[in-house]
Amino acid sequence: MTLLKIARMGHPVLLRRADAVTDPTGPDIARLVADMIETMEDAGGVGLAAPQVHRSCRVFVYRVPDTRSSGAPDDQPCGPQVLINPHLTPIGKETVLRLEGCLSIPGLRGWVPRHTRVAYHGYDAQGRQVKGTASGFLANVMQHEYDHLNGILYPMRMNDLAKMGFDTEMARYGEEQA
Ligand code: NI
């Protein structure tokens, strides 16, 4: 496996709509997924989308750490998962502000309005269909990673850029800004 170089905000690959994967079971996708998981874990991230590693295809990986799970049945802690050619649909109209960071925007965080719950479906690297609903942190990470596949970075979703700041400052003052 290989650690991949992460594209940072300003690189055009992050603003493109990524292409669908023709064969989720192909060996190139298996290698990409393994490398993305290794890269995400090395960087201490909770999600990573293929465009972030300069591959403009519809693949993302994610995990739900114990410390981030809300405990809801559709927000359970899990190790690295993959979703290929995913589709996300909001459930209901309710939104919530979530504090997000991004490996492509190192050192910064911001409060982003997100749907409270989403339904998702897609494929895993064995070509099996994966589907379910997500709430809490899982809903948050899926919306963030899905946006990457459509060329959207979290600041583009923010409705108030005053709610963005550096990690250290947000850790100190960020809760007051929600
Ligand atoms: Ni990101």
Side-chain angles (χ1 to χ4, degrees), residues 2-6 34-48 61 63 80 103:
T2 312
L3 286 178
L4 304 171
K5 187 177 179 199
I6 297 176
D35 290 346
M36 283 174 63
I37 288 171
E38 189 183 12
T39 303
M40 172 178 72
E41 294 192 322
D42 178 74
V46 288
L48 186 68
V61 298
R63 61 193 179 95
L103 293 174

Side-chain angles (χ1 to χ4, degrees), residues 26-152:
D28 54 329
I29 295 299
R31 192 176 319 115
L32 174 65
V33 168
D35 290 346
M36 283 174 63
I37 288 171
E38 189 183 12
T39 303
M40 172 178 72
E41 294 192 322
D42 178 74
V46 288
L48 186 68
Q52 292 183 274
V53 292
H54 304 265
R55 287 282 300 269
S56 196
C57 63
R58 302 186 78 76
V59 176
F60 67 69
V61 298
Y62 63 94
R63 61 193 179 95
V64 179
D66 296 350
T67 51
R68 307 292 283 275
S69 163
S70 63
D74 56 1
D75 184 30
Q76 288 293 302
C78 63
Q81 308 287 320
V82 62
L83 217 47
I84 299 168
N85 293 340
H87 288 275
L88 250 63
T89 317
I91 301 174
K93 289 200 166 77
E94 193 186 338
T95 61
V96 62
L97 279 179
R98 292 267 181 196
L99 185 61
E100 297 188 12
C102 180
L103 293 174
S104 295
I105 312 174
L108 293 166
R109 290 188 186 281
W111 288 96
V112 186
R114 294 292 186 186
H115 297 289
T116 307
R117 293 188 73 212
V118 294
Y120 64 89
H121 65 91
Y123 294 89
D124 67 14
Q126 283 74 46
R128 295 177 296 222
Q129 198 169 25
V130 180
K131 60 185 211 173
T133 65
S135 69
F137 179 78
L138 181 59
N140 188 189
V141 72
M142 281 191 165
Q143 287 171 84
H144 179 114
E145 301 313 326
Y146 185 66
D147 270 354
H148 274 300
L149 305 185
N150 295 325
I152 298 167

